[in-house]
Amino acid sequence: MDKPRTRKRCFRPTEPNDLHEVSSGLRPLLFRGKGVESVRVETSRRIASVAVTVALASLGLAACGGESGGNEPEPKGEGPGAVEQPSEPTTVTFFSWLGNSPEWKKLAAEFHEEYPNITIKFENVPAEQASQVLSTRIAGNNAPDVAYVNASDVADYASRGAAVDLVNYVERSKVVEPDDYVGAFREFVTYDDKLWGLPMGGETTGLFYRTDLFEEAGIDGPPTTWEEFEETAAALTDESANQYGFEVFAPESAYYFQPWLYQAGGNLMSPDGTEIAFDTDEALAAAEYYVDLAQYAPKDYLNSNSWDGRVAFAEGQVGMYMAGAWFAGTLTEEFPDIEGKWATAPLPEGEAGCKTTIAGDSLVMMDQTESPDAAWLWMEFLSRPDTLARTTYRTEGTLLPPLTSLLEGDEITAEKPVLKGFIDLMECGVAPTASNPKWPRIETILNDELGKAMYGDQTAEEALENTAQQAEAILARG
C-alpha cells in the first residue's frame, strides 16, 4: 500500500509588502519538442519566477504554530551506501508538464521495471500554470514528491523550506556527479552552498540572423562587437519597407538586458547576494546601449514577446533576433520554407568579452514527501547521462543537456549540428538569477522600468535609478 501523505511543515510566505505586480504584458513562451511532445515555459528567460512569490503571498499564508526551526527542512537521505528501493509498494508523485509525452511514459515504465516497488504517478499541469499551481499545492499541504521546475525558482523553494537539501543523497550516488554539471546550471540549483535540485537541461542565448537579408544589404557576416552590431542593425533597418535590424520586447526587457549587462562588466547583485550591482557605470552603459536598440526594432512587436516575435523574423521583417537554442528547433519545425536562409552566431562581445544568459529546468524533491528515498531514485534515474540525452538533444527539440561530458561528446553535434554554437557559448553562460530569494521581485521592477525606457517614457538612467531605489527598500526589509 502507498504510504499516507501527511503535512510536516509550512512553506514560509513572502512579506506582502515585498510584492510587485507582474507586468500584464507578460505571456508564457512555449518551447515545443515534438520528440517528447513536451511543452515548457521559457519564463526563466524573463521574470516568471516571480509567480512563485506572488502565488504564495496571495494566499495570505500564516506561519506554522508550534513548530521549531522556522523554515528549516528536516535532513533527508542520511545513511550508508547507495539508496535502495522501499520494501513495500510505493507511489512517487511527479509534478510536471511532461506526463502526456510517450517518451516520459516510457521512462516511467523502464524505471518501474528496474524498481518494481516504485510506481511513478504523473501529475500534469499546463506549463504556463506550473509555478502558481505548485506554490498553491505547497501552501495547501499537498505538495508532490518530485517536481520539474524552472531552474531559476530552485533557490526560492529552498529558502522557504519547501525543497529538500540533496547533499546526503548526492554523496551516496554513483550517478550524480556535481562537477560534471555546467557551472551555470549548477549555480541555478545551489543555495546556501548546498545542492537543492538536479539540472535537467536548458540552453544558452545566441544570435539568429537572416543570411538572405545580410546578403541583400552587402553585410559579410554576423557582428562580433557592440559597434558592429549597431551598424548592422542600422544597415538592415528600412522603415519604409517595414524591415528592421533587431527585435526588442518591453515585457521581456529585464531578461534580454542581462547579456549586455554581463558583457559590459556589470552584474545584477553583489557576489554574496546582499546588495544590488546594477547601479554602476558599466550597468548604465549597457542599459543605454540596449534601450537605444529599440530604434531599430518594429514598433508593432515592442509590446509583444519573444515567442510571438518569431514570426517577424521568419517573415523577413527582422534581420537579427536574440534567443535561446529553443528557437532553432522552432524555426525548423514551424518555418521550413526559410531553411538555409538563417544562421546562428555568438552574441557580439562587449568590454568583458563573451557573456550570455543560460536558462534551464530542474528536478526538486519537495520537503513534504513521505517517500524521500523512492523520490530520490526517480530523480537519480532521470539524471543518468543516457536519460538526459534522451530528454534533450535526442528529441526533435533543441535543448542542451546540463552535463559537460555530453556537451563535449561527438554525438550531440552529430545529432543536432545547429547546437554547436550554443554549446560553445556554455563557457560564457551566466545563470540569470541572483543569489537572493528577493531578486525575482526586484527583477519585476527592472522589467517594468526598462520597458518604459524602450517606449521613450524615461531614460535608461532613470530606469536603473528607479529600480535601484525600490530594490534597496526591498532588501532592507530583511
Side-chain angles (χ1 to χ4, degrees):
M1 296 178 61
D2 296 343
K3 296 180 180 178
R5 300 172 56 76
T6 58
R7 171 61 168 163
K8 295 182 66 176
R9 65 183 62 252
C10 280
F11 187 41
R12 183 169 63 89
T14 301
E15 300 173 29
N17 289 336
D18 283 350
L19 296 177
H20 294 267
E21 205 170 296
V22 179
S23 171
S24 60
L26 281 174
R27 292 169 54 190
L29 169 63
L30 301 180
F31 170 87
R32 303 181 184 276
K34 279 175 54 182
V36 294
E37 298 176 1
S38 66
V39 181
R40 79 184 187 90
V41 177
E42 289 300 323
T43 45
S44 55
R45 293 171 179 71
R46 307 185 299 271
I47 59 170
S49 53
V50 179
V52 176
T53 303
V54 173
L56 287 164
S58 67
L59 294 172
L61 301 182
C64 288
E67 286 194 21
S68 61
N71 65 313
E72 290 294 326
E74 297 175 0
K76 293 181 173 66
E78 296 177 331
V83 176
E84 297 182 358
Q85 69 170 320
S87 58
E88 298 180 354
T90 303
T91 296
V92 170
T93 51
F94 180 48
F95 178 95
S96 76
W97 51 90
L98 306 165
N100 292 322
S101 158
E103 177 66 16
W104 281 80
K105 290 179 180 178
K106 183 179 179 181
L107 287 171
E110 292 174 8
F111 174 80
H112 182 65
E113 184 176 353
E114 185 172 342
Y115 299 101
N117 282 348
I118 307 175
T119 298
I120 302 303
K121 179 183 178 182
F122 288 100
E123 296 186 341
N124 301 322
V125 63
E128 63 271 22
Q129 299 173 19
S131 292
Q132 184 166 351
V133 171
L134 180 58
S135 297
T136 302
R137 288 190 52 182
I138 293 169
N141 306 345
N142 186 34
D145 296 304
V146 179
Y148 189 95
V149 303
N150 202 324
S152 58
D153 291 341
V154 172
D156 201 38
Y157 290 124
S159 71
R160 302 182 193 287
V164 172
D165 166 8
L166 300 177
V167 172
N168 290 332
Y169 283 115
V170 171
E171 289 179 350
R172 298 168 64 185
S173 177
K174 295 183 179 179
V175 173
V176 177
E177 297 288 346
D179 290 341
D180 196 19
Y181 287 125
V182 173
F185 281 139
R186 189 171 61 247
E187 181 182 341
F188 266 130
V189 299
T190 300
Y191 176 75
D192 197 23
D193 296 325
K194 297 177 182 179
L195 205 67
W196 298 82
L198 300 182
M200 287 299 293
E203 60 194 16
T204 53
T205 300
L207 181 67
F208 290 77
Y209 65 100
R210 288 291 300 256
T211 54
D212 53 345
L213 299 183
F214 272 55
E215 291 173 5
E216 292 174 8
I219 303 172
D220 293 335
T224 59
T225 66
W226 283 19
E227 182 179 5
E228 289 180 1
F229 187 85
E230 185 166 9
E231 291 174 352
T232 301
L236 291 169
T237 299
D238 182 355
E239 293 189 33
S240 64
N242 198 30
Q243 181 177 305
Y244 298 86
F246 188 53
E247 277 191 274
V248 294
F249 309 100
E252 298 177 14
S253 55
Y255 178 79
Y256 286 108
F257 167 58
Q258 291 175 28
W260 307 107
L261 174 65
Y262 302 143
Q263 291 165 17
N267 215 324
L268 297 171
M269 298 192 74
S270 61
D272 63 2
T274 61
E275 299 177 350
I276 61 170
F278 54 84
D279 57 351
T280 63
D281 291 341
E282 292 81 4
L284 178 58
E288 290 178 337
Y289 180 86
Y290 173 56
V291 168
D292 284 348
L293 291 176
Q295 66 184 300
Y296 308 115
K299 303 300 184 291
D300 291 345
Y301 285 92
L302 185 55
N303 195 41
S304 184
N305 56 61
S306 53
W307 173 252
D308 291 340
R310 77 201 190 285
V311 177
F313 182 85
E315 293 180 347
Q317 187 180 351
V318 171
M320 295 187 294
Y321 189 96
M322 182 190 293
W326 66 270
F327 193 48
T330 296
L331 288 176
T332 300
E333 177 184 341
E334 295 191 0
F335 306 103
D337 291 345
I338 64 169
E339 188 69 28
K341 296 181 180 180
W342 59 273
T344 64
L347 297 178
E349 295 188 9
E351 293 292 329
C354 177
K355 300 288 183 182
T356 189
T357 47
I358 190 170
D361 299 308
S362 174
L363 298 172
V364 292
M365 185 190 302
M366 309 314 298
D367 188 59
Q368 293 175 24
T369 180
E370 293 296 326
S371 306
D373 286 359
W376 167 256
L377 289 174
W378 172 237
M379 296 172 68
E380 185 182 56
F381 175 83
L382 294 178
S383 299
R384 294 175 183 178
D386 185 68
T387 306
L388 289 172
R390 287 171 59 181
T391 57
T392 54
Y393 64 85
R394 288 185 194 164
T395 73
E396 291 187 28
T398 45
L399 287 179
L400 299 172
L403 302 181
T404 301
S405 56
L406 289 177
L407 293 171
E408 293 180 348
D410 295 331
E411 184 189 65
I412 186 169
T413 50
E415 290 270 352
K416 296 285 173 62
V418 72
L419 289 178
K420 185 181 186 308
F422 294 96
I423 294 171
D424 293 341
L425 283 171
M426 276 292 181
E427 63 184 39
C428 308
V430 181
T433 104
S435 56
N436 189 312
K438 294 187 177 184
W439 169 251
R441 302 191 291 284
I442 298 171
E443 190 176 23
T444 305
I445 302 168
L446 179 62
N447 193 73
D448 290 342
E449 296 295 335
L450 286 174
K452 293 175 186 176
M454 287 180 172
Y455 275 109
D457 295 336
Q458 62 185 3
T459 66
E461 183 174 14
E462 289 171 334
L464 294 186
E465 288 177 348
N466 291 340
T467 305
Q469 182 178 8
Q470 296 176 71
E472 288 170 350
I474 291 173
L475 294 173
R477 292 190 185 114

